[in-house]
């Protein structure tokens, strides 16, 4: 008989969930019996649970309830603290906490001074302790929902979360009774959430994950190869996120209020807090509809304020900020030494990714072949706010039966650090230009080795003997300048002559393959009319290559090996 | 992973291609980049299982494995650190127009070249250090003046319009043109290149052509000066505007200041254009390449003149030659004509002679035939006259060729009948041909 402990868990039984822990919001998710990830709503029905704690007369409020305390009880409300975990005061940015409890130095860590036990008693509560309380609340909501005590989790964190931050989070979580099985990076979690859908197929693709949150935006460029993910570049921006969009609406409505009432609601902390909360709600409404209203009771000087704004106006006001999001993503692609033409998919993650204009702007940045996964560009997109939590839940379901030691060893650099191919490997086929072979990639660049890829090739109509030329392919961006057709010339009125000047010659960019090192040639003889030839490339850890080719359905075939490169230069580029 | 299906065909095996086992190894893979795979997802776990194979890795191996991994996260702004001037830290944020925004963010050495991402990272770094909450925590006064300076600097540098206005008057980014002495000491190119590089920041057209060096071609140098003499600058001077009073009470005053500002901007812009022009003038004056090109051009001009002269001379000579040739041809033709004429004369003479001769034959034929009187009779004087008249009449009417033919028929004949019948035939032929009338002859042909 197994010993049943608190919450119905057998001894040693692990009941794990996925947690996304953001500065602004957190989410909890689990996997159903069929392996589907679902986000859990807390008692208040929230799936995006504000990462806020607030104390009134010793009572703790969490989530949305805590957030609303920013108006009346800001000094005892702790918010936007995730990034402070495991850091000292010198290395944190206190800006987001301007309107709530301020971070302060406490020994080598950060703490808040709040009245969390009883009124008039100021306690210093460390960010670790705050985190513990927050996770306890999250786990308790999940346990209530699942009817079974949650005692473990996979938590998603930013890619630049330091070792010290990870350690602090592990400890704080443990103190809340939640064992951190693994911390995974937020962008990878988002990719996994999409890849774990039953309809998804394993494909080599280059992905940009844009995680646009409340206090920060994080971009990652990820090579997805055979279901494995390698991060090629990351960018972080703390000035381009949801809070800045809120501010634009706050300024807009404050000015409108001032026109009538002379008082600037931004000058009074309470008025500002009210306006901010409402502006954020208005902003979210503008993601869904063309119009949104805002109403604040007693905004300033006891005057109520109500107004509306339409999306066009909002997009005009926020145009510059939206441009900054686009540039941020463009920069990350450049940083990975890639071109927008190389990107197969853009996954929009984080709450701010609901903003329609941000994703439609991306449609213009990327070529039409790039899939932009966001609610306003793809009906089947997953709710961007839930991606990290879903990914974490899936990972949790995969490893919750593992021994601790197993997880530790599987994530060891001896396992994770792997050579990635610099160039693609492929085969030359005949194109319209008969003299030049056309490179067809079998193994994409940035594929981790060992790896194995196969391709099935057509042969000339009559069949016969064919040659298989295996080579490296180097991706090149071909730019052709197309002169813009001057519309209608001088016959037209002068009024549009200004536009003409701005119209520069159009550049057409194209992705082409340059044939690099030729690796091997092989012959397949007497292929049947209408037959096909299968070529398989196997790359070993030492970069030795094995090539096999055979007629599909035929006997025999050709097999050969290539030596590993003589000098394995290491990738510290 | 599923095999890729490729519909374009493989090439036909070239004739004579032959390798052992039909496989020919040629090259090797390029080197690889060491990267971390994210330890996430079912495919990674399968990879980990294969790689571990019941092995346990040590801490040493961890360090070793991580040694050459390509880093993905940035170093925290290592490139944007510079010492903070204590005087700068005491600045009053109200005087933001007088502040060096780049210095405030620690970007003095980048200035107009700083990228958006550098500015953002620099800002973050400064915020981390100077946030007022930290000062308060450290027990120092609530003075957040420098923090406001940081915010203002960031606000301006991250706004493209405001940044241009500031960059327009950012003297620290400019490079003074060298004096003659300096240019001599440092060398022309070394001393002037940075000046133009700095001025180039104002150009609407980018990239800006470089001053180049002694090896620059004439076209390059010309393009360079052309560019600078037609410089299209975005530089403007609103940053130095006098503050416009923003209360609505004193509208006149407001308008007055605005007008003043506008005029000042225009004046400064004009001055700036003149300044740049003078600068380019000075540079060009000292540019030895220009002198060299002039010399070369001069040499080129001389060369051209010589060439032209030579050409002219040749043309003249050619003309003379042509005239001579024409003359020669003319003469030749003349000679030929002469010869031809001479030839004609001879022929005519011969013909005349032949006619004479033939006439003699004709006349002789009647005389030889005793004027065609029957044998034994004596030809009277009248008979002789009549016959000879007939002969004359016929001879006057017939062509020399007919005459020659007739003569050849008559030649050697003496018998009156024979001669008479030939004459008779001839006269009949001539009458038939309509050349003479039947009555033209009295005796012959009767
Ligand atoms: N429907 C929506 N439309 C527009 N913005 C939204 C919407 N829903 C949420 N947001 C915004 O998303 C932001 C929160 O994003 P998210 O929930 O991803 O936070 P987070 O991951 O904690 O972010 P961070 O750690 O950067 O603060 C807030 O600014 C919120 O206003």
């Amino acid at each position: 008989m197994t010993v049943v402990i608190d919450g119905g868990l057998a001894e040693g039984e692990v009941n794990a969930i996925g947690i996304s822990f953001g500065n602004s919001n957190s989410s909890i998710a689990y996997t159903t019996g069929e392996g589907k990830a679902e986000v859990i709503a807390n008692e208040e029905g929230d799936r995006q649970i504000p990462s806020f704690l607030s104390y009134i007369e010793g009572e703790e409020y969490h989530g949305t309830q805590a957030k609303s305390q920013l108006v009346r009880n800001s000094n005892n409300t702790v918010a936007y603290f995730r990034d402070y975990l495991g850091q000292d005061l010198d290395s944190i940015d206190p800006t987001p906490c301007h309107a709530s409890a301020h971070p302060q130095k406490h020994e080598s860590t950060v703490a808040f001074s709040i009245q969390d036990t009883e009124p008039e008693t100021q306690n210093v509560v460390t960010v670790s302790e705050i985190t513990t309380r927050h996770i306890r609340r999250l786990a308790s909501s999940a346990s209530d929902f699942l009817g079974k005590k949650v005692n473990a989790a996979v938590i998603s964190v930013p890619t630049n979360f330091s070792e010290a931050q990870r350690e602090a989070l592990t400890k704080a979580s443990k103190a809340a009774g939640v064992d951190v099985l693994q911390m995974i990076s937020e962008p990878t979690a988002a990719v996994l959430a999409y890849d774990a859908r039953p309809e998804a197929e394993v494909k080599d693709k280059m992905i940009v994950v844009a995680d646009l949150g409340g206090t920060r935006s994080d971009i990652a460029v990820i090579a997805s190869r055979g279901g494995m993910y390698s991060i090629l570049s990351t960018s972080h921006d703390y000035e381009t996120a949801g809070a800045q969009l809120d501010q634009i609406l706050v300024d807009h409505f404050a000015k409108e209020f001032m026109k009538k009432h002379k008082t600037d609601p931004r000058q009074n902390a309470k008025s500002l807090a009210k306006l901010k909360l409402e502006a954020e709600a208005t902003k979210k409404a503008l993601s869904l509809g063309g119009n949104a209203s805002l109403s604040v009771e007693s905004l300033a000087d006891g005057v109520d304020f109500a107004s509306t704004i339409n999306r066009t106006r909002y997009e005009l006001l926020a145009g510059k900020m939206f441009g900054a999001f686009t540039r941020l993503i463009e920069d990350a692609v450049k940083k990975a030494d890639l071109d927008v033409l190389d990107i197969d998919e853009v996954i929009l993650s984080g709450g701010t990714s609901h903003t329609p204009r941000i994703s439609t702007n991306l449609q213009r940045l990327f070529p039409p072949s790039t899939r932009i996964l966001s609610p306003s560009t793809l009906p089947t997109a997953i709710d961007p706010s839930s991606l990290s939590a879903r990914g974490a839940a899936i990972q949790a379901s995969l490893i919750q039966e593992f021994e601790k030691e197993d997880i530790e060893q599987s994530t060891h650099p001896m396992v994770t650090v792997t050579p990635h191919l610099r160039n693609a490997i492929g085969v030359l086929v005949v194109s319209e230009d008969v003299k030049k072979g056309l490179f067809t990639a079998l193994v994409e660049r940035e594929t981790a080795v060992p790896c194995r890829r196969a391709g099935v090739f057509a042969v000339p109509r009559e069949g016969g003997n064919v040659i298989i030329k295996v080579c490296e392919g180097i991706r090149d961006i071909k730019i052709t300048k197309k002169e813009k057709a001057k519309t209608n010339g001088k016959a037209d009125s002068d009024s549009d002559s200004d536009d003409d000047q701005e119209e520069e010659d159009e550049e057409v960019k194209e992705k082409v393959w340059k044939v690099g090192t030729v690796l091997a040639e092989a012959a397949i003889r007497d292929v049947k009319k209408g037959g096909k030839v299968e070529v398989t490339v196997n790359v070993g850890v030492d970069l030795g290559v094995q090539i096999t080719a055979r007629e599909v359905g035929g006997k025999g075939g050709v097999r050969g090996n290539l030596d590993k490169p003589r000098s394995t230069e290491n990738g510290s580029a | 992973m599923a095999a890729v299906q490729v519909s374009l065909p493989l090439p036909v095996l070239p004739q004579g291609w032959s390798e052992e086992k039909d496989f020919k190894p040629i090259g090797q893979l390029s080197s690889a980049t060491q990267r971390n795979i994210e330890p996430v997802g079912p495919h990674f776990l399968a990879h980990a299982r294969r790689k571990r194979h019941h092995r346990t890795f040590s801490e040493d191996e961890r360090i070793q494995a991580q040694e050459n991994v390509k880093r993905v996260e940035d170093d925290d702004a290592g490139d944007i650190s510079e010492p903070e001037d204590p005087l700068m830290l005491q600045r009053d944020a109200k005087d933001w127009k007088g502040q060096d925004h780049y210095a405030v963010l620690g970007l003095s050495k980048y200035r107009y070249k700083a990228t958006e991402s550098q500015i953002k990272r620099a800002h973050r770094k400064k915020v981390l250090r100077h946030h007022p909450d930290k000062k308060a925590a450290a027990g120092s006064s609530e003075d957040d003046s420098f923090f406001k300076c940081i915010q203002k600097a960031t606000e301006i540098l991250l706004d493209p319009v405001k940044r241009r206005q500031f960059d327009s008057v950012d003297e620290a980014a400019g490079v003074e043109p060298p004096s003659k002495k300096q240019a001599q000491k440092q060398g022309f190119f070394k001393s002037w290149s940075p000046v133009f590089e700095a001025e180039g920041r104002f150009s609407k057209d980018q990239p800006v052509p470089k001053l180049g060096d002694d090896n620059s071609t004439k076209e390059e140098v010309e393009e360079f000066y052309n560019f600078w003499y037609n410089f299209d600058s975005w530089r403007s001077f609103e940053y130095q505007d006098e503050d416009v009073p923003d209360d609505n009470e004193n509208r006149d005053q407001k308008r007055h200041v605005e007008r003043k500002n506008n005029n000042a901007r225009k004046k400064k812009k004009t001055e700036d254009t003149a300044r740049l022009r003078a600068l380019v003038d000075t540079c060009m004056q000292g540019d030895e390449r220009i002198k060299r090109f002039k010399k070369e051009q001069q040499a080129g001009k001389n060369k051209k003149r010589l060439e032209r002269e030579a050409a002219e001379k040749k043309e003249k000579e050619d003309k003379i030659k042509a005239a001579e040739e024409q003359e020669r041809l003319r003469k030749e033709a003349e000679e030929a004509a002469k010869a031809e004429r001479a030839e004609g004369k001879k022929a005519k003479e011969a013909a005349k002679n032949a006619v004479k001769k033939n006439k003699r034959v004709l006349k002789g034929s009647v005389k030889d035939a005793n004027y065609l009187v029957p044998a034994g009779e004596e030809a009277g004087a009248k008979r002789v006259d009549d016959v000879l008249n007939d002969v004359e009449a016929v001879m006057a009417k017939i062509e020399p060729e007919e005459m020659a033919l007739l003569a050849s028929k008559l030649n050697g004949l003496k018998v009156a009948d024979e001669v008479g019948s030939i004459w008779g035939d001839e006269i009949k032929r001539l009458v038939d041909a309509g050349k003479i009338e039947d009555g033209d002859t009295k005796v012959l042909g009767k």
Side-chain angles (χ1 to χ4, degrees):
Chain A
M1 216 191 91
T2 47
V3 186
V4 174
I5 53 165
D6 173 35
L9 285 191
E11 191 177 339
E13 187 184 346
V14 177
N15 186 27
I17 56 167
I19 299 178
S20 106
F21 174 23
N23 287 304
S24 306
N25 295 299
S26 298
S27 290
I28 41 184
Y30 74 110
T31 47
T32 64
E34 299 90 61
K36 223 178 141 228
E38 294 286 2
V39 180
I40 299 169
N42 69 2
E43 311 72 75
E44 292 169 83
D46 290 328
R47 288 188 167 79
Q48 269 64 59
I49 303 161
S51 304
F52 281 59
L53 288 164
S54 185
Y55 297 89
I56 307 168
E57 297 179 357
E59 198 176 334
E60 182 180 87
Y61 293 85
H62 183 235
T64 304
Q65 285 188 353
K67 192 170 178 179
S68 62
Q69 290 301 316
L70 282 176
V71 178
R72 271 163 231 295
N73 188 27
S74 63
N75 287 340
N76 292 312
T77 303
V78 184
Y80 308 112
F81 56 87
R82 197 265 325 263
D83 282 353
Y84 301 161
L85 201 55
Q87 305 229 59
D88 59 9
L89 191 75
D90 284 345
S91 44
I92 65 155
D93 174 8
T95 311
C97 296
H98 194 66
S100 57
H102 288 17
Q104 50 176 259
K105 200 174 169 65
H106 178 74
E107 289 160 12
S108 66
T109 66
V110 174
F112 300 91
S113 173
I114 47 174
Q115 298 166 6
D116 62 331
T117 46
E118 52 192 274
E120 314 304 329
T121 315
Q122 206 72 21
N123 296 319
V124 171
V125 185
T126 63
V127 66
S128 288
E129 172 59 20
I130 293 290
T131 304
T132 299
R133 295 179 189 177
H134 175 58
I135 290 187
R136 191 178 286 136
R137 297 293 296 255
L138 293 175
S140 131
S141 294
S143 301
D144 285 353
F145 176 86
L146 296 170
K148 204 169 170 191
K149 188 171 168 62
V150 166
N151 62 0
V154 167
I155 305 183
S156 64
V157 294
T159 55
N160 64 347
F161 221 47
S162 70
E163 209 41 60
Q165 288 175 293
R166 284 161 194 267
E167 249 168 60
L169 178 53
T170 307
K171 268 197 199 144
S173 190
K174 180 120 202 152
V178 175
D179 205 5
V180 179
L181 300 180
Q182 190 186 354
M183 267 173 268
I184 66 174
S185 76
E186 287 166 343
T188 320
V191 177
L192 184 60
Y194 270 103
D195 273 358
R197 295 206 288 190
E199 66 269 29
E201 34 177 330
V202 183
K203 248 191 92 195
D204 290 341
K205 51 194 172 182
M206 201 60 91
I207 306 175
V208 172
V209 180
D211 186 350
L212 315 178
T215 62
R216 54 187 282 179
S217 288
D218 303 283
I219 318 296
V221 178
I222 298 182
S224 168
R225 303 287 183 242
M228 291 199 279
Y229 316 119
S230 308
I231 297 183
L232 304 185
S233 83
T234 62
S235 298
H236 313 283
D237 193 325
Y238 306 87
E239 317 286 331
T240 309
Q244 279 71 27
L245 295 174
D246 296 343
Q247 190 60 43
I248 286 165
L249 287 174
V250 165
D251 291 341
H252 167 75
F253 288 119
K255 279 180 199 153
E256 196 177 306
F257 185 81
M258 280 159 71
K259 261 191 213 146
K260 289 186 208 142
H261 307 289
K262 300 274 173 217
T263 317
D264 185 348
R266 291 169 296 185
Q267 297 301 342
N268 174 288
K270 219 178 239 178
S271 305
L272 178 61
K274 279 186 187 172
L275 188 55
K276 249 192 187 155
L277 284 175
E278 288 311 314
E280 189 185 355
T282 306
K283 177 187 74 173
K284 290 184 188 176
L286 282 170
S287 293
L288 284 177
N291 263 296
S293 58
L294 171 131
S295 87
V296 186
E297 238 173 76
S298 174
L299 176 54
D301 303 339
V303 181
D304 295 348
F305 179 66
S307 179
T308 60
I309 182 169
N310 64 25
R311 196 190 278 172
T312 314
R313 187 73 206 274
Y314 169 54
E315 289 180 348
L316 210 63
L317 292 170
K320 251 190 208 169
M321 205 65 214
F322 290 156
F325 283 103
T326 311
R327 278 204 301 286
L328 189 60
I329 291 164
E330 200 177 2
D331 273 358
V333 173
K334 275 198 202 124
K335 222 166 141 187
D337 278 331
L338 296 176
D339 188 273
V340 288
L341 294 177
D342 292 315
I343 306 301
D344 300 297
E345 241 172 54
V346 180
I347 295 179
L348 280 163
S349 170
T352 300
S353 289
H354 284 102
T355 315
R357 193 50 184 258
I358 292 178
S359 33
T360 48
N361 281 351
L362 290 180
Q363 279 181 318
R364 252 182 287 148
L365 172 64
F366 289 94
S369 53
T370 307
R371 296 192 339 135
I372 313 281
L373 310 187
S374 80
S376 45
T377 51
L378 190 79
T380 56
I382 303 175
D383 173 11
S385 297
S386 73
L387 284 169
S388 299
R390 284 176 200 266
I394 290 155
Q395 182 68 6
S397 74
L398 292 172
I399 61 170
Q400 75 173 353
E401 303 303 333
F402 281 33
E403 297 291 328
K404 257 230 134 80
E405 162 87 7
D406 269 348
I407 298 171
E408 156 69 15
Q409 285 289 311
S410 296
T411 56
H412 193 284
M414 284 295 282
V415 174
T416 59
V417 176
T418 312
H420 286 58
L421 296 180
R422 287 252 162 102
N423 298 322
I425 306 172
V427 171
L428 296 190
V429 294
V430 179
S431 64
E432 298 96 83
D433 187 355
V434 187
K435 267 167 267 145
K436 274 197 290 178
L438 189 69
F439 180 86
T440 308
L442 289 183
V443 191
E444 293 285 350
R445 70 165 150 163
E446 299 300 356
T447 301
V449 296
C451 64
R452 170 204 179 91
R453 295 287 187 280
V456 174
F457 293 85
V459 298
R461 211 162 298 147
E462 317 73 37
N465 300 343
V466 292
I467 185 163
I468 295 149
K469 271 194 187 201
V470 182
C471 17
E472 286 194 319
I474 298 151
R475 192 282 270 127
D476 202 24
I477 299 293
K478 199 174 111 192
I479 299 174
T480 22
K481 281 209 174 160
K482 250 213 240 155
E483 226 178 283
K484 261 227 167 129
K486 286 263 155 33
T487 37
N488 297 343
K490 284 158 201 138
D492 247 7
S493 65
D494 279 355
S495 61
D496 44 38
S497 63
D498 283 341
D499 297 345
D500 278 0
Q501 283 193 333
E502 270 168 45
E503 272 179 39
E504 284 183 12
D505 288 354
E506 209 178 353
E507 276 187 356
V508 182
K509 284 201 301 179
E510 216 181 332
K511 200 168 128 173
V512 293
W513 288 106
K514 280 201 295 197
V515 176
T517 317
V518 179
L519 299 173
E521 288 177 358
I524 294 289
R525 298 177 191 273
D526 304 320
V527 181
K528 281 197 309 277
K529 197 175 163 183
K532 286 189 182 317
V533 171
E534 185 182 54
V535 181
T536 308
V537 175
N538 254 303
V539 186
V541 201
D542 60 356
L543 299 181
V545 182
Q546 187 188 64
I547 297 161
T548 53
R550 60 180 186 92
E551 183 176 353
V552 176
K555 268 187 268 165
V558 176
R559 173 188 295 260
N561 292 308
L562 302 178
D563 293 341
K564 60 177 189 201
R566 268 178 286 278
S567 65
T568 328
E569 166 202 336
N570 269 318
S572 51
Chain B
M1 267 184 39
V4 194
Q5 299 289 329
V6 185
S7 54
L8 290 172
L10 292 166
V12 173
L13 188 68
Q15 288 280 316
W17 191 97
S18 148
E19 283 296 325
E20 201 182 320
K21 291 185 174 162
D22 275 349
F23 185 87
K24 181 184 178 190
I26 299 171
Q28 285 139 8
L29 285 185
S30 309
S31 58
T33 314
Q34 294 287 336
R35 293 185 190 279
N36 258 310
I37 314 176
E38 291 288 283
V40 168
H43 296 274
F44 168 78
L45 292 174
H47 159 87
R49 232 176 354 257
R50 285 192 299 270
K51 198 146 180 182
R52 282 180 58 204
H53 228 43
H54 304 300
R55 272 191 64 197
T56 302
F57 301 114
S58 70
E59 209 47 34
D60 275 356
E61 285 171 309
R62 169 191 298 274
I63 293 157
Q64 200 193 336
Q66 280 169 327
E67 227 160 44
N68 294 313
V69 175
K70 175 139 181 165
R71 301 201 36 178
V72 181
E73 296 298 334
D74 292 322
D75 264 333
D76 232 6
D79 53 336
I80 41 181
S81 63
E82 58 187 36
E84 291 171 334
D85 178 355
L87 278 177
M88 180 179 79
L89 295 180
Q90 283 161 22
R91 282 199 69 90
D92 184 349
K94 282 198 199 85
D95 175 29
W96 60 270
K97 283 225 166 173
Q99 119 184 350
D100 178 344
H101 303 306
Y102 291 111
V104 166
L105 292 183
L107 292 167
S108 297
K109 61 174 184 241
Y110 295 99
R111 304 211 158 263
Y112 63 95
K113 289 182 193 140
T115 64
E116 187 176 344
S117 123
Q118 271 176 323
I119 294 166
K120 280 180 172 172
R121 280 188 289 149
H123 171 240
R124 184 152 180 86
K125 205 169 166 185
K126 292 292 173 189
V127 166
L128 293 187
R129 184 178 302 165
H130 295 286
H131 198 283
D133 285 0
K134 298 191 179 182
K135 293 230 166 120
S140 80
S141 67
E142 284 275 329
D143 177 22
D144 62 352
S145 189
F146 188 64
F147 185 68
K148 283 186 181 147
C149 293
I150 294 169
Q151 300 302 67
K152 194 72 200 178
T154 311
E155 176 201 321
I156 284 170
L157 296 185
L158 282 182
D159 181 323
V161 175
K162 289 184 188 159
R163 186 173 177 191
R164 277 216 158 163
Q165 292 177 356
F166 175 68
D167 282 342
S168 281
V169 298
D170 183 10
E171 297 292 345
V175 176
E176 284 296 310
S179 67
K180 258 201 183 122
K181 243 193 211 155
Q182 282 168 326
Q184 251 164 24
K185 220 165 101 195
Q186 286 180 28
F188 176 80
F189 298 110
K190 226 179 150 189
S191 58
W192 277 100
S193 286
V195 177
F196 285 101
E197 244 162 69
E199 290 293 335
R201 71 192 191 275
F202 298 125
S203 177
K204 282 184 190 165
D205 299 329
Q206 296 284 350
V208 173
K210 291 214 160 55
L211 179 58
D213 55 28
D214 263 327
N215 297 322
S216 307
T217 65
K218 188 167 172 233
E219 286 70 36
E220 283 165 347
V221 175
E222 270 170 5
E223 197 214 319
F224 175 82
Y225 284 107
N226 261 339
F227 181 90
W228 286 99
Y229 278 122
N230 298 302
F231 193 71
D232 195 2
S233 162
W234 49 257
R235 193 174 192 187
S236 64
F237 294 91
E238 49 277 73
Y239 199 83
Q240 291 165 342
D241 279 356
E242 199 177 299
D243 286 338
V244 179
D246 61 356
D247 56 285
N248 289 333
E249 280 151 38
N250 206 340
R251 288 198 176 200
D252 287 344
Q253 172 68 8
K254 193 174 162 182
R255 234 171 271 150
H256 173 70
V257 177
E258 274 172 357
R259 207 172 308 130
K260 216 165 106 188
N261 278 339
N262 256 333
N263 288 338
R265 283 184 205 171
K266 266 188 214 146
K267 190 165 162 249
K268 283 176 189 159
K269 180 81 181 169
T270 315
E271 282 168 1
D272 186 53
T273 311
R275 175 194 65 84
L276 181 66
R277 184 161 274 268
L279 186 149
V280 182
D281 281 344
T282 315
C283 175
M284 197 164 164
Q285 273 160 23
D287 195 336
E288 292 295 333
R289 294 175 303 181
I290 300 281
K291 286 170 200 158
R292 200 180 72 223
F293 292 141
K294 266 204 187 124
K295 239 185 231 161
E296 281 170 7
Q297 202 180 8
Q298 203 60 44
K301 262 189 198 157
N302 283 340
K303 202 172 137 210
K304 259 194 203 138
R305 205 194 64 226
L306 289 178
E307 273 169 8
R308 202 184 53 233
E309 283 173 2
E312 275 169 8
K313 200 173 148 198
K314 190 165 177 288
E315 202 183 343
K316 238 184 231 165
E317 284 171 357
D318 285 353
K319 249 187 205 159
I320 292 168
K321 253 189 210 157
E324 283 172 354
E325 176 72 6
Q326 222 171 5
E327 179 63 16
R328 192 180 63 78
L329 287 176
R330 197 183 58 74
K331 269 188 184 149
E332 254 177 34
E334 208 166 76
E335 231 120 275
K338 225 189 212 164
E340 212 174 293
R341 251 178 290 148
E343 202 79 0
K345 221 178 183 174
K346 254 189 216 160
K348 264 187 198 159
E349 222 122 282
K352 244 190 214 162
N353 287 340
V355 169
K356 264 186 202 158
K357 204 176 121 208
N358 289 333
K359 277 186 178 166
R360 247 181 282 136
V361 172
L362 299 192
K363 280 183 191 156
S365 73
V366 283
K367 186 182 161 206
D368 285 352
N370 200 19
Y371 304 103
L372 307 178
V373 290
E377 281 183 35
E378 208 50 37
K382 174 144 183 333
R383 173 84 185 178
V384 171
D385 259 3
D386 284 347
V387 171
L388 285 180
N389 275 342
D390 282 358
V391 171
E392 287 288 338
V394 172
M395 282 196 308
K397 298 282 175 180
I398 64 173
E399 305 292 324
E401 292 80 30
E402 289 167 316
M403 200 185 299
L405 193 68
L406 183 59
S408 76
K409 286 179 188 164
L410 292 168
N411 210 4
L413 295 185
K414 293 201 165 95
V415 183
D417 279 355
E418 288 172 3
V419 171
S421 82
I422 285 173
W423 275 107
D425 290 350
E426 183 67 18
I427 287 163
K428 189 172 179 292
R429 189 185 68 83
L430 288 172
V431 172
D432 287 348
K435 285 202 175 173
I436 56 170
E437 309 265 318
D438 204 12
D440 280 355
T441 55
K442 283 182 181 141
V443 184
L444 293 177
K446 302 292 161 186

